[in-house]
Amino acid sequence: MAEVLLELRESVAVITINDPERRNALTIDLSRELADKVAEAEREANALVVTGAPPAFCAGADLTQLGNSKDEGLKLIYQGFLAVANATIPTIAAVNGAAVGAGLNLALAADVRVAGPRARFDARFLQLGIHPGGGMTWMLQRITNPQVATAMTLFGQILDADQAVAHGLAYAKAEDPVQHALELAKAAAEAPAELVRTIKATMRATDAMHDHAEAVETELRPQVASIDTPEFAARLSAMKARISGR
């Protein structure tokens, strides 16, 4: 049985890490397969939902492989969640259970997180006696804030779904996080593919800016280009027809 499943639901790809007996722990092979599936999703879909086969989202890196890894081995374990982090299409982590260590990294790598009722966000690195890796400290501080990141990383605090939403780590709590993520992904799924990718690239660029004028200039050229597309013309015509028909 494949350890990483890819299902296309119209223009949304759903990737499921499918090793429930090992709580979807990341091995080098599984991470490579995950990276391959993300690349396939980018070719075939406008949005990506990542989840885990119950009961866990992802229990982190396989400890046997982690214990034997040096620089290159660690980077091979990182490749799966880094593929999610670097995806050109918008990504949603449907966190249906525990997201631990590198599994937390996988959740953090997505643009948006939806937490199920059994979701747990657990840094765990300190308790295992190892330093965080894969950019966890950077992602966690940017998504939440230094105080929450410190509580999780250095004081061992585990956030449940409600706490994750309250602290900005998750966008929403849902009984069925995958279904909620699919609903959330609809707008991107129904939009022109190139526009979706361009907007995501622009958001990444403007996120690092401190000057409004620079952001205005960064958005100007792609906005003009989008106005000249057949997709915009068709949508504008349809909108005018609806307005005139009222």
Side-chain angles (χ1 to χ4, degrees), residues 157-173:
Q157 295 302 296
I158 301 169
L159 302 191
D160 62 20
D162 291 319
Q163 292 168 320
V165 173
H167 290 299
L169 180 55
Y171 172 71
K173 178 184 177 181

Side-chain angles (χ1 to χ4, degrees), residues 4-244:
V4 183
L5 307 177
L6 172 62
E7 179 185 0
L8 290 173
R9 303 192 188 184
E10 297 178 345
S11 288
V12 181
V14 180
I15 289 178
T16 304
I17 302 176
N18 186 44
D19 193 3
E21 290 185 3
R22 298 176 58 258
R23 299 178 64 82
N24 306 317
L26 297 177
T27 63
I28 290 173
D29 288 343
L30 189 148
S31 289
R32 183 182 295 113
E33 190 177 353
L34 174 57
D36 290 343
K37 288 294 192 292
V38 172
E40 184 178 347
E42 290 187 89
R43 293 191 297 269
E44 302 292 338
N46 264 13
L48 169 62
V49 175
V50 179
T51 193
F57 174 72
C58 176
D62 178 271
L63 293 180
T64 302
Q65 292 194 2
L66 188 64
N68 295 327
S69 294
K70 303 300 180 187
D71 292 26
E72 290 308 312
L74 289 171
K75 289 178 181 179
L76 290 173
I77 293 172
Y78 299 164
Q79 64 184 322
F81 62 76
L82 290 181
V84 175
N86 295 324
T88 58
I89 56 177
T91 56
I92 305 170
V95 184
N96 56 308
V100 181
L104 175 62
N105 283 6
L106 177 59
L108 296 174
D111 299 314
V112 171
R113 282 149 296 284
V114 175
R118 296 173 60 86
R120 296 291 183 272
F121 299 86
D122 183 356
R124 191 70 67 91
F125 289 97
L126 182 69
Q127 291 87 329
L128 292 174
I130 62 172
H131 193 282
M136 191 215 78
T137 59
W138 182 81
M139 292 189 290
L140 191 55
Q141 290 183 94
R142 283 173 64 86
I143 292 167
T144 58
N145 59 60
Q147 181 170 242
V148 172
T150 298
M152 293 180 66
T153 307
L154 286 171
F155 297 140
Q157 295 302 296
I158 301 169
L159 302 191
D160 62 20
D162 291 319
Q163 292 168 320
V165 173
H167 290 299
L169 180 55
Y171 172 71
K173 178 184 177 181
E175 190 66 32
D176 185 341
V178 173
Q179 186 57 42
H180 190 97
L182 288 167
E183 290 293 324
L184 197 59
K186 273 187 177 180
E190 295 170 355
E194 187 59 33
L195 182 61
V196 169
R197 288 158 173 79
T198 301
I199 292 174
K200 177 163 178 174
T202 298
M203 290 184 71
R204 286 185 167 176
T206 56
D207 181 52
M209 295 175 184
H210 300 285
D211 183 74
H212 189 185
E214 184 182 4
V216 170
E217 289 301 316
T218 298
E219 292 176 350
L220 185 59
R221 297 270 39 98
Q223 185 176 47
V224 169
S226 69
I227 289 171
D228 288 337
T229 61
E231 290 89 351
F232 175 71
R235 288 167 187 244
L236 181 61
S237 177
M239 186 179 299
K240 288 178 177 178
R242 285 198 302 272
I243 291 171
S244 63

